[in-house]
Amino acid sequence: ARPPGQPGQARPAPSLSLAAVVPRTADSSRRRESLRMRLAIGRLLRRSAKLQRASCRWARLRALMFAVTLLRRCMLLVAVVLASMALRAAEGWCVVDTVYFTTTVLTTVGYGDVVPATCAGKLLTCALAVLALLIIGSLLKDVVQHLVEKEIARSRLARQRRLTRFLQSKASDEEDGLFAKSQARLRARVARCRVATLMLAGWFVAAVLLTRRALDVGLSEAAFFAMVTASTLGFGDTVPLTPAGRLLVTFLMITGVPFLGNFIAQLGSFFGSSGRGRLQLERCSGLIDSQRLETLRRFCQEMNQEALYVAEREGGTQKISPFEFLVFSLVQSKVLSKEDIGGVMRDFYRLDVSKDGFLDEDDIRAWAREGR
């Protein structure tokens, strides 16, 4: 028992050695890190498996779509062959006349020199015309899809090239993007139009020479017949009469219609891209160098000399401000013209009564005092 009046004493706490605590703490940290690492690896593996399953599903779906498209085209081709064979049996035509007439229907040329005379032949011709429309629609869809995929691939390749130029820190005299010349930006479209024009011109010259010899017509009549064939007009005033001439015209229809269609598509793409170019803002690729900086300075000096803005308020023409770079981007991309920029800046200077380069409450009070 404790003696009366004597205060109690606290029992001393058991002592723990540092050697016993530190290893236990280190083991706990290692276990937590190991558990965290295993969880991260598990999440990564699950995500990878999910992506792999999605990729496999997408690959199977693409294979199925390709198989369906191929089956549909084969069915159309088989239907055309069967309709042609039935038409030959109903009309009593030879193989050359059957192929010639089928080609005129499929290409929608329709000269009118070979036409069905029986009721069965006319019904088969109606079915063949429907098949021709289906084939033309399918071909147009494929052409549009090919052009879209080609444009996507071209833009992706352009982005990769810009990234490569950015990483290599190289700037050429003529490059794509913001600092490119307008002729360089149009070079690709002009090249495609040139190739399409040369292809069509080569076909036209060959068609005129072959038609003049095969159909025994004059030069002007041969040129007229070639253009009527390529444009699928088919007036029927000049038609082949011999089997050799019909085989030649069949070949001209098969080749001339796509060549003329390609030329029209490239020409429309050229003018359409030129029109859309005013709404597309070019981006700067690569790094800044002395040549680009000098281009920016010359642009700012021209703007200042034409009194389109006050260069001193932007730090002069030796240092390029964000506003000046933005204006250069808009003008170089043909989104806005210099006159548009000048009109906007004149409006700003008119509203900036305090002449401090900013629109704030001082300008509001100044306008109120002047009673405007």
Side-chain angles (χ1 to χ4, degrees):
R2 188 185 309 121
Q6 185 176 359
Q9 297 179 355
R11 183 178 296 177
S15 61
L16 297 176
S17 61
L18 184 61
V21 175
V22 172
R24 186 179 303 173
T25 306
D27 292 340
S28 301
S29 301
R30 283 196 294 269
R31 283 197 297 269
R32 285 195 297 270
E33 290 294 332
S34 178
L35 179 61
R36 191 178 297 110
M37 184 64 67
R38 286 198 296 269
L39 292 176
I41 293 175
R43 287 194 297 269
L44 182 61
L45 291 177
R46 288 193 297 272
R47 186 175 301 174
S48 176
K50 186 182 296 185
L51 291 176
Q52 187 176 4
R53 289 194 297 270
S55 177
C56 292
R57 287 195 298 268
W58 176 246
R60 288 194 296 267
L61 180 60
R62 291 187 62 182
L64 180 61
M65 293 173 60
F66 176 77
V68 170
T69 304
L70 184 61
L71 180 61
R72 185 173 65 247
R73 293 177 181 176
C74 291
M75 290 176 61
L76 288 175
L77 181 60
V78 170
V80 169
V81 172
L82 292 178
S84 301
M85 294 175 62
L87 191 61
R88 179 191 177 190
E91 297 294 334
W93 292 336
C94 63
V95 177
V96 176
D97 291 343
T98 304
V99 173
Y100 172 75
F101 177 75
T102 303
T103 307
T104 57
V105 174
L106 293 179
T107 56
T108 68
V109 175
Y111 291 118
D113 55 334
V114 178
V115 293
T118 63
C119 182
K122 293 179 180 180
L123 292 177
L124 289 172
T125 302
C126 295
L128 196 61
V130 173
L131 292 175
L133 294 177
L134 292 176
I135 292 175
I136 292 174
S138 178
L139 290 177
L140 288 177
K141 178 184 176 182
D142 293 340
V143 169
V144 172
Q145 184 177 0
H146 173 70
L147 292 177
V148 170
E149 293 178 354
K150 186 177 179 180
E151 185 68 20
I152 293 175
R154 189 173 63 84
S155 61
R156 186 182 297 112
L157 181 60
R159 288 195 299 267
Q160 292 176 357
R161 289 177 178 176
R162 287 196 296 267
L163 179 60
T164 302
R165 286 198 300 266
F166 177 77
L167 294 176
Q168 294 178 352
S169 301
K170 293 181 179 180
S172 59
D173 293 336
E174 293 184 357
E175 57 181 348
D176 297 333
L178 180 61
F179 288 87
K181 298 180 180 179
S182 58
Q183 293 83 0
R185 288 196 294 268
L186 293 176
R187 186 173 300 167
R189 294 197 295 269
V190 171
R192 290 194 294 269
C193 290
R194 185 184 299 115
V195 171
T197 304
L198 291 177
M199 292 174 59
L200 181 62
W203 175 89
F204 183 76
V205 172
V208 169
L209 295 178
L210 293 175
T211 302
R212 181 183 181 186
R213 183 171 183 179
L215 302 184
D216 194 15
V217 294
L219 186 62
S220 59
E221 294 181 359
F224 177 74
F225 179 80
M227 186 52 62
V228 165
T229 300
S231 59
T232 70
L233 292 175
F235 291 120
D237 53 341
T238 302
V239 293
L241 301 177
T242 61
R246 289 176 178 174
L247 286 178
L248 173 63
V249 173
T250 300
F251 173 75
L252 293 179
M253 285 187 287
I254 295 175
T255 55
V257 174
F259 282 165
L260 182 60
N262 181 41
F263 171 75
I264 295 175
Q266 294 298 335
L267 200 63
S269 175
F270 174 77
F271 288 106
S273 299
S274 300
R276 290 193 304 268
R278 296 186 61 85
L279 301 178
Q280 295 177 349
L281 183 63
E282 297 286 350
R283 301 294 300 276
C284 178
S285 61
L287 300 177
I288 191 68
D289 55 7
S290 57
Q291 181 179 358
R292 291 184 168 185
L293 183 59
E294 185 62 28
T295 302
L296 290 170
R297 287 173 177 172
R298 285 199 303 268
F299 175 80
C300 295
Q301 290 173 0
E302 293 175 359
M303 293 280 291
N304 189 27
Q305 291 174 0
E306 296 175 9
L308 300 178
Y309 86 116
V310 181
E312 288 73 14
R313 295 190 179 184
E314 299 296 332
T317 58
Q318 298 301 315
K319 294 181 180 181
I320 307 302
S321 66
F323 165 76
E324 293 170 336
F325 185 79
L326 175 61
V327 171
F328 175 78
S329 301
L330 295 174
V331 174
Q332 186 74 0
S333 302
K334 301 185 186 308
V335 177
L336 294 175
S337 63
K338 291 183 179 180
E339 291 74 15
D340 298 332
I341 300 296
V344 172
M345 294 307 299
R346 283 191 292 271
D347 292 339
F348 179 83
Y349 295 147
R350 179 177 56 83
L351 298 175
D352 185 16
V353 182
S354 59
K355 306 302 180 184
D356 58 352
F358 300 96
L359 296 179
D360 50 13
E361 288 77 6
D362 296 337
D363 298 307
I364 297 177
R365 288 191 290 269
W367 277 80
R369 285 194 303 268
E370 295 181 8
R372 300 182 181 182

